[in-house]
Amino acid sequence: MDLARTEVALRKGRKGNAARLGLMALPVAFFGVFFAYPVAAIVARGLKVGGAWQFGRIGEVLAQSDIRHVLWFTSWQALASTALTLLVALPGAYVFARFDFPGKQILRAVVTVPFVLPTVVVGTAFLALVGRGGLLDELWGVRLDTTVWAILLAHVFFNYAVVVRTVGGLWAQLDPRQEEAARMLGASRFTAWRTVTLPALGPAVAAAALMVFLFTFTSFGVVQILGGPTFSTLEVEIYRQTSEIFDLATAAVLTIVQFVAVGAILAVHAWTVRRRETALRLVDASGTARRPRGTGQWALLAGVLGTVVVLILLPLAVLVQRSLDAPGFGYYRALTSSDGGAFLVPPIEAVGNSLTYAVAATAIAVVIGGLAAAALTRRDAGRLVRGFDALLMLPLGVSAVTVGFGFLIALDEPPLDLRSSWILVPLAQALVGVPFVVRTMLPVLRAVDERLREAAAVLGASPWRAWREVDLPLVRRALLIAAGFAFAVSLGEFGATVFIARPDNPTLPVAVARLLGRAGDLNYGQAMALSTILMVVCAAALLVLEGLRGVDRTGEF
């Protein structure tokens, strides 16, 4: 009897592994052709001379003082941005986790808006606040652009929601009775928090910190707009070496350095996520929040609200105000005409282009990401599947500039000559959207009871019908949320798109960057107007997500 059961289990395991490998086939092919191949092509172009690899070039590049300065600045600004973000955002995580107050859901959407905004818009918003002719310049004659403080504040603005939602989501699910029990045993409030709550929050704080570090380590749009010629991250330097100096060897070396660093960051991040998933016992988050009590808690709530107003709402409000400086919506009306300079078409056409590209990229990301999430559903997957999971995250950290330029180099011969095809932009944008689809759908798919699928199979349902009748109704909302996030990030992708978007079909982020690169108040005002339009579209998509999500009880993006 035991042998028969063992044989059935082994047969089921073999079928499950075969099905998982089948689901992985299309995502692996997609990432192989449109990620690994272009990146490898540009690295080979830079380090291969006369058919021979010139690995000695790596040491030569890293020995240059200006390159070492870029590496140093990239690392320390990422550490500083991460520390400052944690310092500012952790009180907000506590307030959203433990307090119940009017307008909480709307405020959650507001603090998440910066995260889905393109980095070009973030840089533009802070340029309107701290740059030449900005609010601080007009009021007190203070300019912070081309200073490290502008970059750090913009990074906090962009990543505030990462900490609030990651740490706050877990904090809301921690049983408050554990800390209350420590208080009853004589521990002070701080001692109870330090010995009970902080160790439980540690993995979530570490995961949030690593995510913030990853995003700031690879920062491009913010540093390019606010840093000027003084400050340059690895991503900005790769762009400069590729598009301005045409030194592919140096760009290839920097790509390898960034790839190794990001791989290490993602490995640590995966470890902290696994620890968070297995080490905690959580409760229903709906019963842990309550109205603030006492002067201290009301003061904390007021402080967090003040931080949100100054750090998040003020830059966005100044961006909108700058776009309205011209009488009669002059900057917006100017978007409908072409001056024959930076654009071959009126800049307003970038709105339609971006929406079209984002819809196509979302469709690709949902298909590829959905198949990948289904393949990763079982937690007892082997090393091959775990390696596949890590592969899906790499596009978030590997230089988008390298991917974009790699598209031009690698996809230039039949049967993959796509340089003149419109699909090239959605393909690049989908690479960034797939990880968000996977991370949104995976927890829901793992929560589906395997016995429901088995029951459907026993009743004669095919695998496709079982998925349609069992999984799809349970994951439909997660699928819509994943599509919304893929749409938002595709809409704002800039690093790769700046290389492959055709001059007669610019996207919104590319159009904003081109306008900011030209002198004149009219160009500056049009950049503010386009950024405002892009912000409104992203915010609308986010509000739809919040409506679909309802009360977020997972803390996941």
Side-chain angles (χ1 to χ4, degrees):
M1 190 69 174
D2 290 339
L3 289 175
R5 290 179 178 175
T6 302
E7 180 63 26
V8 170
L10 290 173
R11 191 180 302 115
K12 185 185 295 184
R14 285 194 294 268
K15 289 182 178 178
N17 290 333
R20 187 180 296 112
L21 291 175
L23 292 170
M24 289 170 53
L26 184 58
V28 168
F30 177 79
F31 274 81
V33 173
F34 297 112
F35 177 69
Y37 177 45
V39 171
I42 193 171
V43 171
R45 181 70 63 93
L47 294 182
K48 233 178 180 182
V49 179
W53 288 94
Q54 303 293 324
F55 291 110
R57 181 62 176 156
I58 297 177
E60 296 175 5
V61 170
L62 296 180
Q64 299 175 19
S65 59
D66 56 336
I67 297 299
R68 291 201 305 269
H69 176 74
V70 169
L71 293 173
W72 168 245
F73 175 74
T74 301
S75 301
W76 85 256
Q77 68 81 23
L79 288 171
S81 297
T82 302
L84 190 58
T85 302
L86 290 175
L87 180 66
V88 174
L90 282 177
Y94 175 77
V95 165
F96 280 98
R98 295 304 197 198
F99 291 173
D100 187 18
F101 52 90
K104 179 178 177 179
Q105 294 304 318
I106 295 177
L107 194 63
R108 280 171 55 86
V110 168
V111 301
T112 312
V113 166
F115 182 75
V116 299
L117 286 181
T119 55
V120 172
V121 175
V122 174
T124 307
F126 272 81
L127 191 65
L129 180 64
V130 303
R132 176 183 58 84
L135 182 64
L136 296 185
D137 191 14
E138 289 183 354
L139 294 178
W140 299 294
V142 176
R143 286 184 56 187
L144 294 179
D145 62 324
T146 69
T147 69
V148 71
W149 280 109
I151 295 172
L152 296 181
L153 289 175
H155 283 162
V156 175
F157 168 87
F158 184 77
N159 293 291
Y160 185 88
V162 174
V163 177
V164 167
R165 298 185 75 108
T166 303
V167 180
L170 180 62
W171 210 332
Q173 293 178 280
L174 294 181
D175 192 345
R177 293 175 294 183
Q178 298 178 9
E179 191 171 322
E180 293 170 1
R183 294 287 308 280
M184 292 180 63
L185 293 174
S188 65
R189 184 181 298 275
F190 176 75
T191 301
W193 179 82
R194 179 176 56 84
T195 58
V196 177
T197 304
L198 183 59
L201 287 176
V205 174
L210 283 166
M211 289 173 66
V212 174
F213 184 86
L214 175 65
F215 293 141
T216 54
F217 186 84
T218 58
S219 182
F220 178 49
V222 168
V223 178
Q224 186 185 38
I225 291 175
L226 295 177
T230 307
F231 301 104
S232 179
T233 57
L234 270 173
E235 187 83 356
V236 174
E237 188 64 20
I238 291 172
Y239 175 77
R240 191 175 72 89
Q241 296 287 341
T242 302
S243 63
E244 298 178 10
I245 303 178
F246 304 106
D247 187 350
L248 293 185
T250 299
V253 171
L254 297 181
T255 297
I256 293 173
V257 171
Q258 183 165 307
F259 184 85
V260 171
V262 168
I265 295 169
L266 291 177
V268 176
H269 178 248
W271 178 78
T272 59
V273 169
R274 287 198 300 271
R275 180 182 172 190
R276 182 180 66 175
E277 289 180 343
T278 57
L280 301 175
R281 291 183 178 273
L282 306 178
V283 298
D284 188 349
S286 61
T288 61
R290 53 179 173 75
R291 291 185 66 82
R293 301 173 184 172
T295 305
Q297 292 189 356
W298 281 107
L300 177 60
L301 176 58
V304 169
L305 293 177
T307 300
V308 170
V309 169
V310 173
L311 180 66
I312 295 178
L313 293 182
L314 183 59
L316 298 179
V318 173
L319 174 65
V320 175
Q321 185 267 326
R322 287 291 183 267
S323 74
L324 298 172
D325 273 351
F329 298 95
Y331 293 141
Y332 289 91
R333 287 189 288 106
L335 295 175
T336 61
S337 64
S338 175
D339 60 2
F343 300 95
L344 300 179
V345 296
I348 194 63
E349 291 193 12
V351 177
N353 296 334
S354 288
L355 293 175
T356 302
Y357 289 144
V359 169
T362 300
I364 297 171
V366 167
V367 172
I368 300 298
L371 291 173
L376 295 168
T377 298
R378 291 184 58 178
R379 295 177 181 271
D380 59 348
R383 291 183 178 179
L384 176 63
V385 177
R386 288 199 296 270
F388 173 63
D389 190 10
L391 170 67
L392 297 173
M393 294 293 290
L394 283 178
L396 292 181
V398 173
S399 171
V401 171
T402 300
V403 174
F405 196 62
F407 269 35
L408 296 181
I409 291 177
L411 306 180
D412 62 343
E413 296 179 357
L416 289 175
D417 187 1
L418 301 177
R419 286 178 301 176
S420 59
S421 174
W422 69 273
I423 198 64
L424 202 62
V425 173
L427 287 171
Q429 294 174 346
L431 285 172
V432 183
V434 167
F436 287 90
V437 173
V438 173
R439 293 302 155 209
T440 302
M441 294 187 62
L442 190 56
V444 180
L445 285 171
R446 283 179 172 172
V448 176
D449 193 336
E450 183 66 28
R451 291 172 296 183
L452 296 175
R453 302 186 181 101
E454 294 174 353
V458 170
L459 294 174
S462 64
W464 162 248
R465 185 177 179 185
W467 181 87
R468 180 166 53 86
E469 300 291 342
V470 176
D471 291 67
L472 183 59
L474 297 174
V475 304
R476 183 181 289 112
R477 190 176 67 165
L479 184 63
L480 292 173
I481 292 172
F485 272 117
F487 178 81
V489 298
S490 299
L491 197 65
E493 204 287 322
F494 175 63
T497 308
V498 70
F499 277 97
I500 57 182
R502 294 168 55 180
D504 57 342
N505 286 290
T507 63
L508 276 169
V510 172
V512 170
R514 288 180 184 174
L515 287 168
L516 287 176
R518 304 178 69 195
D521 291 338
L522 179 61
N523 292 311
Y524 179 82
Q526 289 183 87
M528 298 295 163
L530 274 182
S531 296
T532 301
I533 292 173
L534 187 50
M535 178 186 70
V536 170
V537 174
C538 289
L542 182 63
L543 289 174
V544 172
L545 294 185
E546 286 295 324
L548 292 171
R549 182 187 298 274
V551 179
D552 183 357
R553 298 180 181 177
T554 65
E556 299 291 339
F557 278 99

